[in-house]
Short mmCIF file of all heavy atoms in Angstrom, two decimals:
data_model
loop_
_atom_site.label_atom_id
_atom_site.label_comp_id
_atom_site.label_asym_id
_atom_site.label_seq_id
_atom_site.Cartn_x
_atom_site.Cartn_y
_atom_site.Cartn_z
N PRO A 228 41.33 -51.77 -51.68
CA PRO A 228 42.52 -52.22 -52.40
C PRO A 228 42.40 -53.70 -52.75
O PRO A 228 41.81 -54.48 -52.00
CB PRO A 228 43.65 -51.98 -51.39
CG PRO A 228 42.99 -52.07 -50.06
CD PRO A 228 41.61 -51.53 -50.25
N MET A 229 42.93 -54.08 -53.90
CA MET A 229 42.90 -55.47 -54.35
C MET A 229 44.27 -55.84 -54.89
O MET A 229 45.02 -54.99 -55.38
CB MET A 229 41.85 -55.68 -55.44
CG MET A 229 40.43 -55.42 -55.00
SD MET A 229 39.23 -55.74 -56.34
CE MET A 229 37.69 -55.34 -55.52
N SER A 230 44.59 -57.13 -54.79
CA SER A 230 45.87 -57.58 -55.31
C SER A 230 45.77 -59.03 -55.78
O SER A 230 44.77 -59.70 -55.53
CB SER A 230 46.96 -57.47 -54.23
OG SER A 230 46.70 -58.34 -53.14
N GLY A 231 46.81 -59.47 -56.47
CA GLY A 231 46.82 -60.81 -57.01
C GLY A 231 47.03 -60.81 -58.51
O GLY A 231 47.26 -59.77 -59.14
N ARG A 232 46.93 -61.99 -59.08
CA ARG A 232 47.19 -62.16 -60.50
C ARG A 232 46.17 -61.42 -61.36
O ARG A 232 46.49 -60.93 -62.45
CB ARG A 232 47.18 -63.66 -60.83
CG ARG A 232 47.36 -63.99 -62.30
CD ARG A 232 47.25 -65.49 -62.51
NE ARG A 232 47.29 -65.85 -63.93
CZ ARG A 232 47.02 -67.07 -64.39
NH1 ARG A 232 46.72 -68.04 -63.53
NH2 ARG A 232 47.07 -67.32 -65.69
N TRP A 233 44.93 -61.35 -60.86
CA TRP A 233 43.84 -60.83 -61.67
C TRP A 233 43.43 -59.43 -61.21
O TRP A 233 43.24 -59.18 -60.03
CB TRP A 233 42.63 -61.76 -61.62
CG TRP A 233 42.97 -63.17 -61.97
CD1 TRP A 233 43.11 -64.22 -61.12
CD2 TRP A 233 43.24 -63.67 -63.28
NE1 TRP A 233 43.45 -65.36 -61.81
CE2 TRP A 233 43.54 -65.06 -63.15
CE3 TRP A 233 43.26 -63.10 -64.56
CZ2 TRP A 233 43.84 -65.86 -64.23
CZ3 TRP A 233 43.57 -63.90 -65.64
CH2 TRP A 233 43.86 -65.26 -65.48
N ASP A 234 43.27 -58.53 -62.18
CA ASP A 234 42.82 -57.17 -61.93
C ASP A 234 41.36 -57.07 -62.37
O ASP A 234 41.06 -57.20 -63.56
CB ASP A 234 43.70 -56.18 -62.71
CG ASP A 234 43.35 -54.73 -62.43
OD1 ASP A 234 42.27 -54.46 -61.88
OD2 ASP A 234 44.17 -53.85 -62.77
N VAL A 235 40.47 -56.83 -61.43
CA VAL A 235 39.04 -56.79 -61.74
C VAL A 235 38.73 -55.75 -62.81
O VAL A 235 37.87 -55.96 -63.68
CB VAL A 235 38.23 -56.49 -60.46
CG1 VAL A 235 36.79 -56.15 -60.79
CG2 VAL A 235 38.27 -57.69 -59.52
N SER A 236 39.43 -54.62 -62.78
CA SER A 236 39.14 -53.55 -63.73
C SER A 236 39.42 -53.95 -65.16
O SER A 236 38.97 -53.28 -66.10
CB SER A 236 39.94 -52.29 -63.37
OG SER A 236 41.32 -52.50 -63.57
N GLU A 237 40.16 -55.06 -65.36
CA GLU A 237 40.46 -55.52 -66.72
C GLU A 237 39.52 -56.62 -67.19
O GLU A 237 39.65 -57.11 -68.31
CB GLU A 237 41.91 -56.02 -66.77
CG GLU A 237 42.93 -54.91 -66.51
CD GLU A 237 44.36 -55.43 -66.52
OE1 GLU A 237 44.54 -56.66 -66.64
OE2 GLU A 237 45.29 -54.59 -66.41
N SER A 238 38.57 -56.99 -66.34
CA SER A 238 37.60 -58.01 -66.74
C SER A 238 36.68 -57.48 -67.82
O SER A 238 36.18 -56.35 -67.71
CB SER A 238 36.77 -58.46 -65.53
OG SER A 238 35.67 -59.25 -65.96
N PRO A 239 36.41 -58.27 -68.87
CA PRO A 239 35.53 -57.80 -69.93
C PRO A 239 34.07 -57.74 -69.50
O PRO A 239 33.24 -57.14 -70.20
CB PRO A 239 35.74 -58.82 -71.05
CG PRO A 239 36.16 -60.07 -70.33
CD PRO A 239 36.98 -59.60 -69.16
#
Side-chain angles (χ1 to χ4, degrees):
M229 297 182 181
S230 65
R232 177 183 175 190
W233 307 104
D234 184 344
V235 168
S236 67
E237 296 178 355
S238 169

